[in-house]
Amino acid sequence: MEKLKLMSLYADFRKDLSYIEKELEKSVDSSSPVIRQASLHLLRAGGKRIRPIFVILSSKFGEYSMENVAKVAVSLELIHMASLVHDDVIDDSDFRRGFETVKSRWNNRIAMYTGDYIFSRALVSIGEIEMQTVHQLLAKTMLEICKGEIIQLEYQQRTDQTFRDYLRRIKRKTALLLSSSCELGALVSNASADTVGKLKRFGYFAGMAFQIVDDILDITSTDEKLGKPAGSDLLNGHITLPTLYIKDNPEFQPFLIRSFDGTLTEEERVQMLRYIRQSGAVEKAQEVSALYLKKAISEVQSLPDGDAKKALLQIAAFIGKRKF
Amino acid sequence: MEKLKLMSLYADFRKDLSYIEKELEKSVDSSSPVIRQASLHLLRAGGKRIRPIFVILSSKFGEYSMENVAKVAVSLELIHMASLVHDDVIDDSDFRRGFETVKSRWNNRIAMYTGDYIFSRALVSIGEIEMQTVHQLLAKTMLEICKGEIIQLEYQQRTDQTFRDYLRRIKRKTALLLSSSCELGALVSNASADTVGKLKRFGYFAGMAFQIVDDILDITSTDEKLGKPAGSDLLNGHITLPTLYIKDNPEFQPFLIRSFDGTLTEEERVQMLRYIRQSGAVEKAQEVSALYLKKAISEVQSLPDGDAKKALLQIAAFIGKRKF
């Protein structure tokens, strides 16, 4: 149902998206069968292609060139994919979005190098853009994302986290790449500095909201919809926003300890999820997400009217309501 | 002894090298203690800094700018370092050059993300160069190196390899980055296309020779000098040039099988190394390396005389004789 809504929202840009999809497939074509199969497997496992759509929509506020847009969009989606493959190695995940992960279908070594390969492919794609600012921005974004990944490891299983720690973590994990998607899309189409700034901030705020919703869904959704067990974040040692509100509750402590030391039974997992859902923490997290969305929307309001603006606003609305 | 020779060979360029060394240290400085410690550990474990020296020397054939040279040299050395960290994860190595590896001192996850972080740092450094060809060349080089890493995995423990397979593998593993070091050094100093071509080929041929010598030393050197057990390549499932000559000898077969399935005893390892050393395979491999060095030297011969040309020829001579 929600998937359908997202599809119709993308409908106006279907031609652009399917061009990018073809370029993505071409870009991971390789004479090495392992590389080709692992990358295609990853590509076909899908995802919402939010980075490409942000690049497309942001480019519409300048001089739109499909060719430049595709290079940037392909690059950003590949970087996203590469970081997912590496995350699956770290989290030891066998499934993502219901699809077997590269590390599960092949092994950790193949997954690590496939990630490296896809990163390099991303650089080749962006390498065709003749704008130094684009290269610098992408390099700095990647640096911050990598920093975030290590910080995430440092914070794994740590219960002494603050809201600020959490927000900083999701900024690096999600918001930065979405912010850069908007910024780069606007930059390559030579949009004005003011427009670039607004879109950049839209991407950032929307990204923060998106990740908070993602973290909420890990608690409130079903194993089937998630394509992995609900509560996986906690099982992997990650404290997210809903859990931050209740982590010191005495009734929650045993769940937390057992999640972290890997002794939580299936029955206890279900009890834990029920406890969090009934604690009011989910609603508080939803309020924070709504706040970010409001900020995102206010950035877009003053941009010129048109299909692109309408779509950005629809996406913001979708993020607030999404169930997958 | 040999280490001293290499140092004196570098003496003329000590100022440039120590500038680059400082830039390298600065570039891995991070507020995350794990990142900083792991990167510094890696940096201080050393290495011969062959990529920076190739960049410096190649730049001397154009309009030399220390600032540009440093950015390129730092970037290439970081890419080299990042690929070593990832290789140590793959090879499950606890030691490299006698130093504990990142994956051993910390763990595989830290090692993977530290590698990613250092890669990104490399991009930030090269991002300051305003030449599209530089970015494109680096991206393509990284892509080929990553491809090589996966192909190396595909060929692990495979005994049906040809000389061509081996040469293609070491090209991607070593020669390409050295070739690009020379090419990028020449490019950023605006050397003529002819000079760029000669230096690029010098780096390629010298790199092929360098890796063959490396593979020979894994057989002929001592555990102490290598900082890891001699014969590690075979224990890790890699057939290199010396082994290629004898892999089908019936007397060698049991060693090969036991190396690959992990049942080789310490005594058998010593016997195996003795067998290879006495088989004549090492001498044949040395001939191939000498051939590449001859080609490398002939590229440099026609370049203008001077300290840089002298140093390149000395390095070529050193590669042929090095014992570490």
Side-chain angles (χ1 to χ4, degrees), chain A residues 81-133:
Chain A
M81 273 172 56
S83 73
L84 291 186
V85 195
H86 281 187
D87 288 350
D88 288 336
V89 174
I90 297 298
D91 289 341
D92 211 14
S93 319
D94 290 328
F95 288 93
R96 180 179 285 276
R97 302 182 194 124
F99 278 80
E100 229 182 321
T101 56
V102 173
K103 73 124 244 156
S104 156
R105 177 117 161 218
W106 287 272
N107 60 51
N108 268 336
R109 296 166 184 210
I110 295 283
M112 191 178 70
Y113 280 149
T114 301
D116 290 354
Y117 173 81
I118 296 173
F119 261 133
S120 308
R121 268 287 173 209
L123 297 180
V124 171
S125 179
I126 205 96
E128 291 174 32
I129 304 278
E130 205 168 344
M131 280 176 92
Q132 204 196 350
T133 44

Side-chain angles (χ1 to χ4, degrees), chain A residues 60-246:
Chain A
K60 298 280 182 187
F61 294 93
E63 303 146 16
Y64 193 80
S65 139
M66 190 62 234
E67 219 181 312
N68 279 348
V69 167
K71 279 166 196 158
V72 173
V74 163
S75 183
L76 288 163
E77 190 66 10
L78 291 177
I79 288 171
H80 171 62
M81 273 172 56
S83 73
L84 291 186
V85 195
H86 281 187
D87 288 350
D88 288 336
V89 174
I90 297 298
D91 289 341
D92 211 14
S93 319
D94 290 328
F95 288 93
R96 180 179 285 276
R97 302 182 194 124
F99 278 80
E100 229 182 321
T101 56
V102 173
K103 73 124 244 156
S104 156
R105 177 117 161 218
W106 287 272
N107 60 51
N108 268 336
R109 296 166 184 210
I110 295 283
M112 191 178 70
Y113 280 149
T114 301
D116 290 354
Y117 173 81
I118 296 173
F119 261 133
S120 308
R121 268 287 173 209
L123 297 180
V124 171
S125 179
I126 205 96
E128 291 174 32
I129 304 278
E130 205 168 344
M131 280 176 92
Q132 204 196 350
T133 44
V134 166
H135 300 282
Q136 289 182 321
L137 178 59
L138 194 75
K140 280 181 190 151
T141 306
M142 282 176 61
L143 188 68
E144 288 303 315
I145 293 173
C146 291
K147 238 191 245 174
E149 281 166 340
I150 297 183
I151 292 172
Q152 173 144 326
L153 282 187
E154 290 177 323
Y155 275 93
Q156 221 170 2
Q157 303 217 343
R158 269 178 55 182
T159 52
D160 60 337
Q161 298 185 41
T162 64
F163 287 94
R164 228 178 118 171
D165 292 329
Y166 170 77
L167 294 176
R168 206 157 36 192
R169 226 164 49 235
I170 65 166
K171 171 185 157 185
R172 289 198 164 113
K173 184 189 168 91
T174 305
L176 264 177
L177 197 59
L178 287 174
S179 172
S180 296
S181 299
C182 291
E183 191 176 1
L184 287 169
L187 274 173
V188 291
S189 59
N190 297 309
S192 73
D194 179 63
T195 302
V196 172
K198 280 175 185 156
L199 289 163
K200 173 188 169 171
R201 288 188 297 275
F202 168 81
Y204 171 74
F205 293 134
M208 294 296 281
F210 185 88
Q211 187 56 49
I212 294 172
V213 172
D214 221 56
D215 293 343
I216 291 171
L217 289 175
D218 186 67
I219 303 289
T220 60
S221 190
T222 61
D223 300 3
E224 200 198 339
K225 273 190 189 166
L226 291 167
K228 63 182 176 182
S232 283
D233 285 337
L234 278 168
L235 300 176
N236 286 324
H238 304 307
I239 291 189
T240 60
L241 190 53
T243 338
L244 260 184
Y245 291 106
I246 50 158

Side-chain angles (χ1 to χ4, degrees), chain B residues 31-215:
Chain B
S31 55
S32 155
V34 175
I35 299 180
R36 195 176 53 245
Q37 285 161 20
S39 306
L40 277 178
H41 172 77
L42 206 60
L43 206 59
R44 287 178 185 153
K48 304 178 194 67
R49 303 288 188 254
I50 292 181
R51 287 142 207 91
I53 199 82
F54 271 20
V55 177
I56 294 173
L57 295 176
S58 299
S59 278
K60 298 279 181 188
F61 294 93
E63 304 146 17
Y64 192 80
S65 140
M66 189 62 235
E67 218 181 312
N68 279 347
V69 167
K71 279 165 197 158
V72 173
V74 163
S75 182
L76 288 163
E77 190 66 9
L78 290 177
I79 288 171
H80 172 61
M81 273 171 57
S83 74
L84 291 186
V85 195
H86 281 186
D87 288 350
D88 289 334
V89 174
I90 298 299
D91 287 342
D92 210 14
S93 317
D94 289 328
F95 288 93
R96 179 180 287 277
R97 303 183 195 123
F99 279 79
E100 229 182 321
T101 56
V102 173
K103 73 125 242 156
S104 157
R105 179 118 160 215
W106 287 271
N107 60 51
N108 267 336
R109 294 166 184 208
I110 296 282
M112 191 177 71
Y113 280 149
T114 301
D116 289 354
Y117 173 80
I118 296 174
F119 261 132
S120 308
R121 269 285 172 213
L123 296 181
V124 171
S125 180
I126 204 96
E128 292 175 30
I129 303 277
E130 205 169 343
M131 278 176 91
Q132 203 196 352
T133 45
V134 166
H135 300 282
Q136 289 182 321
L137 178 58
L138 194 75
K140 280 184 191 149
T141 305
M142 282 176 61
L143 188 69
E144 288 303 314
I145 292 172
C146 292
K147 236 190 248 176
E149 281 165 338
I150 296 182
I151 291 171
Q152 175 145 325
L153 283 186
E154 290 176 323
Y155 274 92
Q156 222 171 3
Q157 304 215 344
R158 268 179 56 182
T159 52
D160 59 337
Q161 300 183 40
T162 64
F163 287 92
R164 229 178 118 170
D165 292 328
Y166 170 77
L167 294 176
R168 206 158 35 190
R169 225 163 51 234
I170 65 167
K171 170 183 157 187
R172 290 200 165 111
K173 182 190 170 93
T174 305
L176 264 176
L177 197 58
L178 287 173
S179 172
S180 294
S181 299
C182 292
E183 189 176 0
L184 287 169
L187 274 174
V188 290
S189 59
N190 296 310
S192 72
D194 179 64
T195 301
V196 172
K198 280 176 185 156
L199 288 162
K200 173 187 170 174
R201 287 189 297 275
F202 168 82
Y204 171 73
F205 291 135
M208 294 296 280
F210 185 88
Q211 188 56 50
I212 293 172
V213 172
D214 222 57
D215 293 343

